[in-house]
């Protein structure tokens, strides 16, 4: 019995695809393309459940390292002193839920395991940082990401159309980081997880902005020369216009 | 309407950028300054990452200085020989500066160094300019005629003396080299042309004829900003051409209007206005450095994996 329970926990922690067919869901699109005119994107998540229950959706952006620095007063000046490097922090975090997290009836452990709520986003430093410094650095990171609209504290609604069909409209801001996202959908009954599904979403630059970015990354010298030619030509053209004007 | 900047990785309103370019261009045309020291803080203010702001600004300055030099060249106001010695120093300076920039960025102290160099250089220059303005406007003395043509100082005893016929100077080549070096360093670290430090240095340290100073300093700024653009593109990948293009367009239009308006303004008042702007930026940055910031924390992603 205990072994079975442990196995169940392990499977849950890994985020398996649909278990026991109790939950089926999909996104309206699995790719968000960032073009020059990109102003953000909206995706709709549709799904059905066998049994009535609560549905929570957790969207996490590709893991990234984030450094947080604290300013200290040195010789009267406020300069960067202590710092913490957060390893594999989600670059984006947004949720949807059929009711407020506090009303789901979940234990703190279950909430933490599924990273439901900003307080439960897994943020770990590369080197151990003692308390209370760690909490301060963590709070600063979360606040900065919230200000950029990259972390969202409140879930958007998951609405049920009838008893089995549900939908959620997920919004992505224009500054959304590129990479592979994980979209986890969890079905709850009485605070217990009875079904889960994980699906992925790719955010990538396309067209002109992708070309510019790739050139700057992979053909840096040529790109730099191009930028120079552009600037010299523009300056020269301006002086021609100026002389005639 | 918003347009996505591929390197800064954020959307911006192109009209805000055009207006910023135009405003700084207007001031540069009106007052005869590069305006980089205003543009970099403005870019950072609208949320462009500092590394992208500094690197892109150097690209924009190439365009501004090319059109400036062509205008001065037509009036034969460029000393190419002296400018070349300066730009050799400038090339070395910007290479050292870009390497230093990368090092300081890794240490997390680039913001401090940018602030301190701004405060130091802007403060000193603003003070010098205010003294000169005081002499001209209040005491009615001419600024430039102070120095006799053949006054010899310790600077004249340096080795490697060279003739610069256009400027009628016979001085050590180390002097313009050193001035160029400092200019190159500033381009790389602060993303500015450095005209505000080059121009007084050329007048007071080299004793160059005033008419040649602007054209010659712009001549060397083309190369230091050009080299910096290339080095930044290769080492930090932070030059955003879309951002640069919009700043260039705004700047060019602003500079034309500014140059035309400048005929309406007495040069003494233009210099005073320049000094006041430099002073204001220096005071603002000093205050920022010494007052407790609203947010003690800075959060910087180290790049996607």
């Amino acid at each position: 019995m205990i072994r079975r329970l442990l196995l169940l926990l392990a499977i849950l922690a890994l985020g398996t695809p649909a278990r026991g067919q109790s939950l089926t869901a999909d996104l309206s699109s699995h790719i968000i393309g960032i073009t020059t005119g990109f102003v953000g994107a909206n995706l709709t998540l549709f799904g059905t459940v066998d049994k009535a229950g609560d549905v929570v959706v957790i969207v996490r952006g590709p893991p990234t390292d984030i450094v947080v620095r604290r300013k200290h007063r040195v010789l009267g000046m406020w300069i960067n002193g202590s710092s913490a490097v957060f390893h594999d922090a989600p670059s984006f975090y947004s949720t949807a839920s059929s009711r407020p997290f506090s009303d789901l009836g979940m234990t703190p452990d279950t909430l933490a395991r599924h990273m439901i709520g900003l307080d439960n986003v897994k943020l770990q430093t590369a080197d151990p940082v003692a308390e209370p410094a760690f909490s301060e650095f963590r709070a600063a990171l979360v606040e900065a990401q919230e200000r950029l609209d990259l972390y969202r504290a409140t879930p958007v609604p998951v609405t049920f159309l009838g008893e089995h069909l549900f939908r959620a409209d997920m919004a992505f801001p224009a500054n959304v980081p590129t990479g592979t996202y994980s979209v986890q959908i969890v079905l709850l009954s009485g605070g217990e997880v009875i079904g889960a599904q994980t699906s992925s979403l790719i955010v990538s630059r396309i067209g002109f902005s992708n070309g510019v970015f790739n050139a700057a990354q992979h053909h840096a010298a040529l790109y730099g020369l191009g930028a120079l030619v552009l600037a010299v030509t523009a300056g020269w053209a301006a002086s021609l216009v100026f002389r005639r004007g | 309407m918003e347009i996505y900047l591929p390197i800064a990785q954020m959307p911006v309103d192109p009209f805000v950028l055009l207006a910023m370019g135009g405003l700084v261009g207007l001031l540069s045309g009106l007052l005869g300054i590069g305006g980089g020291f205003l543009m970099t803080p403005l870019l950072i203010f609208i949320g462009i990452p500092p590394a992208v702001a500094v690197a892109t600004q150097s690209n924009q300055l190439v365009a501004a200085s090319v059109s400036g030099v062509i205008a001065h060249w037509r009036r034969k106001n460029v000393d190419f020989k002296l400018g070349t010695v300066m730009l050799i120093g400038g090339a070395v300076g910007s290479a050292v500066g870009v390497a230093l920039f990368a090092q300081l960025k890794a240490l997390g102290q680039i913001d401090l160094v940018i602030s301190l160099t701004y405060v130091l250089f802007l403060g000193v220059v603003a003070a010098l300019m205010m003294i000169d303005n005081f002499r001209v406007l209040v005491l009615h003395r001419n600024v430039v005629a102070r120095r006799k043509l053949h006054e010899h100082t310790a600077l004249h005893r340096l080795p490697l003396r060279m003739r610069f016929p256009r400027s009628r100077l016979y001085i050590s080549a180390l002097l313009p080299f050193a001035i160029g070096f400092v200019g190159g360093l500033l381009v790389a670290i602060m993303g500015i042309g450095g005209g505000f430090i080059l121009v007084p240095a050329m007048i007071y340290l080299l004793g160059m004829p005033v008419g040649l100073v602007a054209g010659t300093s712009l001549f060397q700024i083309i190369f230091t900003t050009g080299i910096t653009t290339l080095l930044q593109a290769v080492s930090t990948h932070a030059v955003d051409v879309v951002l640069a293009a919009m700043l260039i367009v705004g700047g060019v239009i602003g500079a034309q209007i500014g140059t035309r308006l400048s005929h309406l303004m007495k040069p003494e008042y233009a210099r005073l206005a320049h000094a006041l702007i430099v002073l204001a930026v220096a005071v603002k940055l000093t205050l920022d450095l010494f007052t407790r910031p609203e947010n003690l924390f800075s959060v910087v992603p180290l790049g996607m994996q």
Side-chain angles (χ1 to χ4, degrees), chain B residues 146-163:
Chain B
R146 283 184 305 165
R147 191 194 282 260
K148 280 180 260 160
L149 201 59
H150 289 291
E151 193 181 355
H152 283 240
T153 63
L155 294 177
H156 288 80
R157 272 182 248 123
L158 289 167
L160 288 172
R161 294 182 84 179
M162 211 170 173
R163 277 183 204 286

Side-chain angles (χ1 to χ4, degrees), chain A residues 3-79:
Chain A
R3 273 180 66 186
R4 260 178 140 182
L5 204 74
L6 283 174
L7 190 70
L8 194 76
L9 284 175
I11 289 168
L12 268 180
L14 288 172
T16 50
R19 279 189 304 116
Q21 305 292 309
S22 56
L23 167 72
T24 316
D26 201 10
L27 289 162
S28 55
S29 167
H30 286 272
I31 290 179
I32 294 178
I34 299 180
T35 58
T36 309
F38 186 66
V39 289
N42 289 299
L43 293 186
T44 306
L45 182 112
F46 273 107
T48 57
V49 289
D50 284 354
K51 279 196 276 179
D54 282 311
V55 170
V56 180
V57 183
I58 305 111
V59 180
R60 276 177 294 149
T64 182
D65 288 356
I66 299 179
V67 57
V68 183
R69 298 194 174 91
R70 188 191 192 280
K71 284 195 168 62
H72 293 270
R73 202 170 173 172
V74 179
L75 300 170
M77 297 180 298
W78 289 90
I79 68 173

Side-chain angles (χ1 to χ4, degrees), chain A residues 36 65 69 71 80 216 223, chain B residues 4 109 237 239 296 298 300 302:
Chain A
T36 309
D65 288 356
R69 298 194 174 91
K71 284 195 168 62
N80 284 336
Y223 174 86
Chain B
Y4 187 84
Q109 296 302 355
H237 307 283
V239 179
L296 286 178
S298 63
V300 186
L302 292 178

